[in-house]
Amino acid sequence: MKKDIVIPEVTNVEIAVVFEYNDIYKTDDWNVYIINKKSVDLELVVIVSQGFSPEISGLKTTSLFRKKIDILPANSFAKIELIQPELFQLNNRFQVSFFEGNTLFEKTFLFKENTIKEGALRMIPQLKKRGILAN
């Protein structure tokens, strides 16, 4: 029965961490964005994020954060959350689920520990900002 289940591959959806200036608070912040590079809307997008780090004494984790977006229009993006620099020493996982038409898609994006840093920033054309894309 398991062999009969088809899990479609997610393409043209990205998670990015962006370093940007906050005009309201006059600070430089790190923000997480979801990018829809598809030519169709994504519906009922659910993002579950958590930081974690396996340690000798046990697993260190953060609380789960959940975000729902009813519709993410084609060729657009949305800010998900502010991420604190203290979390960069952890692995940061973003589990994304969404409907495209009547099909459910799911993908896990991962920023490995210590990979989010200013020296790794690259221009992300869709956002017109400098950031880092998840694996």
Side-chain angles (χ1 to χ4, degrees):
M1 293 262 268
K2 268 186 159 179
K3 63 181 171 66
D4 297 329
I5 299 172
V6 177
I7 300 173
E9 180 183 352
V10 173
T11 58
N12 293 322
V13 175
E14 301 282 347
I15 295 288
V17 172
V18 173
F19 189 60
E20 60 190 337
Y21 185 72
N22 183 323
D23 290 324
I24 297 170
Y25 297 108
K26 309 290 187 233
T27 58
D28 290 316
D29 294 337
W30 292 90
N31 291 300
V32 182
Y33 285 84
I34 183 167
I35 305 168
N36 178 9
K37 298 192 297 188
K38 294 177 176 282
S39 57
V40 296
D41 296 350
L42 306 182
E43 299 175 15
L44 227 78
V45 181
V46 176
I47 302 122
V48 179
S49 63
Q50 183 175 38
F52 65 96
S53 176
E55 290 186 352
I56 296 170
S57 61
L59 185 65
K60 182 178 179 182
T61 62
T62 65
S63 299
L64 284 175
F65 177 82
R66 294 175 183 87
K67 172 81 175 185
K68 180 183 134 208
I69 302 169
D70 290 323
I71 295 179
L72 184 60
N75 299 306
S76 71
F77 56 88
K79 188 184 294 187
I80 301 170
E81 66 183 49
L82 170 77
I83 186 168
Q84 297 295 329
E86 296 80 32
L87 298 176
F88 299 166
Q89 63 189 346
L90 302 174
N91 294 313
N92 287 280
R93 174 177 49 221
F94 294 84
Q95 296 170 292
V96 178
S97 303
F98 61 89
F99 280 95
E100 184 181 322
N102 290 326
T103 306
L104 177 65
F105 288 81
E106 182 176 77
K107 183 171 181 177
T108 299
F109 296 90
L110 181 68
F111 291 97
K112 291 194 175 187
E113 58 188 333
N114 300 314
T115 58
I116 302 172
K117 52 190 169 190
E118 286 189 55
L121 295 172
R122 302 288 177 263
M123 185 56 73
I124 299 174
Q126 295 81 8
L127 300 175
K128 295 183 176 68
K129 298 178 181 185
R130 291 170 29 94
I132 303 160
L133 292 172
N135 293 330

